[in-house]
Amino acid sequence: MNAIEVKDISKNYGKVKALDKVSFSVGKGELFGLIGPDGAGKTSMYRILCSLLLPATGTASVDGFDVVNQMTEIRKRVGYMPGKFSLYQDLTVEENLRFFATLFGTTVEEGYDSIRAIYSQIERFKNRRAGALSGGMKQKLALSCALVHQPSVLFLDEPTTGVDPVSRKEFWEMLAMLKERGITILASTPYLDEVRRCERVAFLDQGILRGIDTPNNILTTFADIFNPPGIGKRGKKSEEWRSEGVKEWKNEESENVIEVEHLVKAFGTFHAVDDISFSVKRGEIFGFLGANGAGKTTAMHMLTGLNQPTSGTGKVCGYDISTEYEQIKKHIGYMSQKFSLYEDLTVAENIRLFAGIYGMKDHDIRRKTDELLEQLHFTEHKHALVASLPLGWKQKLAFSVSIFHEPGVVFLDEPTGGVDPATRRQFWELIYDAVSRGITVFVTTHYMDEAEYCDRISIMVDGKIKAMGSPEELTTTYHQPDIDHVFTYLARQATRGD
């Protein structure tokens, strides 16, 4: 008997067909991938299989129990990690685990053997609030919470989005261990190296099942979605803006848009950022890499005026980060991991709101809004609520809004997390277009193929910059085949705890 049986499942949200007569099965103990672009219907399928959502038509069973008529039995047997971590941020590690154990009618002590290998890695932080954990630690806690009642089937909806490459590798090693114990795993992921770890994968696209096969066969058959052609290096085009004189700067005599010397940010005795120095030139794409907890976001908050340093100096667009942070905010763009769009406003309303905040004039806002909507092919969706847009659309809109006022530098904090390869490629085309207009791009990412697109990269470990240079320089210096291997080599030298 198969662990999961799905027969002709359909699900509609108004006029939107999220799932259209989808059928597949997963064998007991199989590691099965459910993959596809944003808005493909993956999350709807997970919620149906976990008995959290009713299908419009069709049937589905988990461990032989019907997802509609036998919900109680289903919930005893499944573990579920949704796309957004299901942890309670204000509860400690131990309190989260005990809560989930109680929810399933068991205790941590009773289920400890089933989570020992995973939970023991974070148990020394049991009194730390979940909201203060790094991405890798949150993963381990969320997985422990999903396993504490000893489920037979585990559902993972993009569990590694926003997590650094080393923590991702460790997570999938844990999944391999769970598979050896006979647990059936259904997982979705936007990372191709993780797709290849599955035994079989089902490819969903706009609610329709396009194929079921081995990972390599699916990735080859649908290469236009999963392996689009690279955008290559920018060549001479990156220099065009220099001759056009499209920007005037307060520090016109300097080519550096960002200058940092001996920057430190301490929280008590803990140095989140520990004496870093670097500069970024105008028109450069600068990759700012590091494992979760390395200090990247803290450093970015200082550069964007959201936080002030403990010591050291820094300038952004010629303004001092310690004393002129309000001026910095007017001359930069910023796109956070949370996107910073207002979901209950329409596309056009979001554009107008942020343009007004940046001090643009009404006639410029109207003209540029129409131009932007046409460029993004959003004209027909200008009155759509942002909440209704697919993730990839939201990201492209958030980026476009962040550079709407033509800032000197735009800070992008993991801008493509959880997005399929084809959409990520489109996003980077927007980045290259911005750079061709003279905008400097300062970007953090956990996709190492994106790091290869940068002009220069820095890699932070334990609050310090351990390496800096072009992708080619770093791979040569560390005798590694690519940036993924360079990153892994350096990140595994970290000594301070998460």
Side-chain angles (χ1 to χ4, degrees):
M1 184 178 69
N2 289 317
I4 300 171
E5 290 278 2
V6 175
K7 295 181 180 178
D8 295 325
I9 287 288
S10 294
K11 180 63 183 179
N12 301 329
Y13 300 101
K15 296 180 180 179
V16 177
K17 183 157 280 191
L19 295 168
D20 188 5
K21 295 182 180 178
V22 175
S23 300
F24 64 90
S25 61
V26 180
K28 280 188 177 294
E30 186 175 12
L31 176 47
F32 190 91
L34 187 63
I35 63 175
D38 308 307
K42 303 185 297 294
T43 298
S44 293
M45 179 59 71
Y46 278 113
R47 292 178 64 79
I48 287 171
L49 292 175
C50 291
S51 76
L52 301 173
L53 189 67
L54 294 174
T57 61
T59 61
S61 64
V62 176
D63 262 1
F65 295 94
D66 184 84
V67 297
V68 174
N69 300 316
Q70 296 173 296
M71 290 184 182
T72 302
E73 294 298 328
I74 293 283
R75 293 175 184 180
K76 290 177 183 176
R77 288 166 170 78
V78 304
Y80 178 40
M81 277 182 67
K84 294 181 179 177
F85 288 118
S86 53
L87 303 173
Y88 289 89
Q89 305 293 312
D90 291 334
L91 297 184
T92 66
V93 168
E94 185 176 38
E95 288 168 343
N96 266 281
L97 191 59
R98 292 199 180 280
F99 172 78
F100 279 93
T102 303
L103 203 61
F104 289 107
T106 186
T107 64
V108 173
E109 291 71 25
E110 189 175 346
Y112 190 81
D113 284 346
S114 65
I115 64 171
R116 181 193 304 273
I118 301 166
Y119 184 60
S120 62
Q121 299 178 42
I122 58 172
E123 193 166 9
R124 68 184 186 278
F125 302 109
K126 65 182 182 181
N127 294 320
R128 183 181 294 184
R129 289 187 179 184
L133 300 177
S134 71
M137 290 176 68
K138 284 181 178 177
Q139 271 186 320
K140 292 169 185 173
L141 176 57
L143 187 56
S144 297
C145 291
L147 291 169
V148 70
H149 62 298
Q150 304 177 61
S152 57
V153 182
L154 185 60
F155 294 98
L156 307 171
D157 189 1
E158 298 191 359
T160 57
T161 295
V163 179
D164 68 81
V166 173
S167 295
R168 289 200 296 109
K169 289 182 177 74
E170 292 175 351
F171 185 85
W172 278 82
E173 287 166 4
M174 289 186 282
L175 295 189
M177 177 188 67
L178 295 175
K179 174 179 161 49
E180 288 178 4
R181 283 170 31 194
I183 295 177
T184 304
I185 301 171
L186 182 65
S188 59
T189 175
Y191 297 97
L192 299 190
D193 59 316
E194 295 181 355
V195 171
R196 292 188 176 95
R197 288 176 176 257
C198 300
E199 294 167 89
R200 291 187 303 142
V201 294
F203 170 40
L204 273 177
D205 185 19
Q206 296 182 334
I208 298 171
L209 186 64
R210 303 291 185 186
I212 302 175
D213 209 328
T214 63
N216 283 340
N217 286 346
I218 289 292
L219 295 179
T220 300
T221 303
F222 301 99
D224 57 326
I225 298 291
F226 295 105
N227 192 25
I231 53 180
K233 294 295 182 183
R234 289 172 290 143
K236 292 182 179 179
K237 185 178 180 183
S238 63
E239 303 299 322
E240 290 177 2
W241 66 273
R242 295 182 186 275
S243 61
E244 293 172 3
V246 295
K247 272 290 177 187
E248 295 294 332
W249 294 97
K250 181 180 177 182
N251 58 333
E252 193 175 9
E253 69 279 0
S254 171
E255 279 204 344
N256 290 332
V257 177
I258 300 173
E259 295 178 329
V260 170
E261 292 185 6
H262 303 296
L263 200 62
V264 173
K265 182 62 180 180
F267 298 95
T269 58
F270 177 73
H271 285 198
V273 174
D274 191 7
D275 193 11
I276 64 173
S277 300
F278 65 92
S279 60
V280 180
K281 294 184 180 299
R282 253 185 290 182
E284 188 173 22
I285 301 178
F286 187 80
F288 201 56
L289 309 185
N292 296 110
K296 305 185 305 300
T297 299
T298 301
M300 187 178 285
H301 283 172
M302 288 188 282
L303 295 177
T304 54
L306 298 176
N307 212 330
Q308 282 68 61
T310 303
S311 63
T313 61
K315 287 187 176 183
V316 176
C317 297
Y319 296 100
D320 190 293
I321 63 174
S322 296
T323 60
E324 299 177 291
Y325 40 84
E326 291 303 327
Q327 285 297 321
I328 288 174
K329 293 175 186 176
K330 296 177 183 178
H331 289 81
I332 65 169
Y334 179 61
M335 180 177 164
S336 72
Q337 294 163 293
K338 306 291 185 183
F339 304 139
S340 68
L341 295 174
Y342 289 88
E343 300 229 327
D344 54 349
L345 296 181
T346 67
V347 169
E349 287 169 344
N350 265 279
I351 295 172
R352 285 198 298 271
L353 172 64
F354 283 97
I357 291 172
Y358 290 130
M360 294 179 64
K361 296 178 180 178
D362 287 344
H363 68 276
D364 289 333
I365 294 174
R366 287 192 295 270
R367 175 181 55 82
K368 290 201 65 176
T369 296
D370 291 338
E371 291 175 359
L372 177 59
L373 291 171
E374 186 173 344
Q375 177 192 358
L376 296 177
H377 306 293
F378 279 11
T379 302
E380 294 182 4
H381 306 281
K382 65 186 296 184
H383 299 304
L385 290 178
V386 164
S388 69
L389 300 180
L391 176 61
W393 290 27
K394 289 180 184 177
Q395 287 175 305
K396 286 188 281 189
L397 178 61
F399 174 70
S400 300
V401 166
S402 72
I403 62 169
F404 196 67
H405 59 305
E406 297 289 325
V409 56
V410 60
F411 291 87
L412 307 176
D413 192 1
E414 295 177 27
T416 55
V419 177
D420 62 88
T423 304
R424 289 199 292 116
R425 185 190 188 281
Q426 294 169 12
F427 189 90
W428 273 84
E429 287 175 341
L430 292 176
I431 289 177
Y432 274 27
D433 179 67
V435 170
S436 73
R437 304 201 307 270
I439 296 174
T440 302
V441 175
F442 187 101
V443 57
T444 72
T445 179
H446 287 319
Y447 290 98
M448 293 300 101
D449 61 322
E450 292 185 350
E452 302 273 1
Y453 291 151
C454 298
D455 297 310
R456 282 192 306 140
I457 297 165
S458 74
I459 300 178
M460 285 190 76
V461 179
D462 291 345
K464 298 178 179 291
I465 292 178
K466 290 294 186 183
M468 189 181 304
S470 70
E472 294 81 6
E473 289 169 345
L474 294 181
T475 52
T476 300
T477 299
Y478 291 96
H479 309 290
Q480 300 292 334
D482 52 37
I483 290 299
D484 187 18
H485 284 78
V486 173
F487 181 94
T488 300
Y489 171 75
L490 292 172
R492 284 187 167 156
Q493 296 178 20
T495 56
R496 74 186 188 190
D498 280 299

